[in-house]
Amino acid sequence: MPKYFYHVGDGRARDREGLWLDDLPSARLEAVRFTGHMLDQAAHAGWTGNAWSMQVCDEIGAVLWEISLAITDGAGMRSPA
């Protein structure tokens, strides 16, 4: 069973414990759940929408994927067609 690590932000919040999970789909699902939990906590703390990210890495430190979030206003954004 592989181990996955979830590093938040600019690399200062490093996951040193990791999680043993069955496979990549399980690791991705955990990343989405964790992101939802972090956003819920941030909303209650008055998150202003500044950029936030989480990198999911394997046991050797290779980045498997990254989730990036930010709130931006509509200025300069295109309307859906």
Side-chain angles (χ1 to χ4, degrees):
M1 185 179 299
K3 195 172 194 180
Y4 300 93
F5 297 84
Y6 298 83
H7 307 304
V8 175
D10 60 5
R12 287 184 285 172
R14 310 253 331 145
D15 177 5
R16 304 217 186 272
E17 294 180 26
L19 292 174
W20 296 101
L21 297 166
D22 291 331
D23 50 26
L24 282 172
S26 297
R28 187 178 299 257
L29 179 59
E30 185 60 33
V32 171
R33 285 182 181 153
F34 183 58
T35 299
H37 173 74
M38 293 292 291
L39 287 174
D40 183 52
Q41 296 299 312
H44 289 7
W47 182 49
T48 60
N50 52 318
W52 180 93
S53 66
M54 175 176 42
Q55 289 185 336
V56 180
C57 301
D58 64 13
E59 293 179 80
I60 62 170
V63 176
L64 302 172
W65 62 84
E66 180 175 58
I67 296 174
S68 299
L69 301 167
I71 296 175
T72 57
D73 63 26
M77 298 180 73
R78 294 186 315 148
S79 298

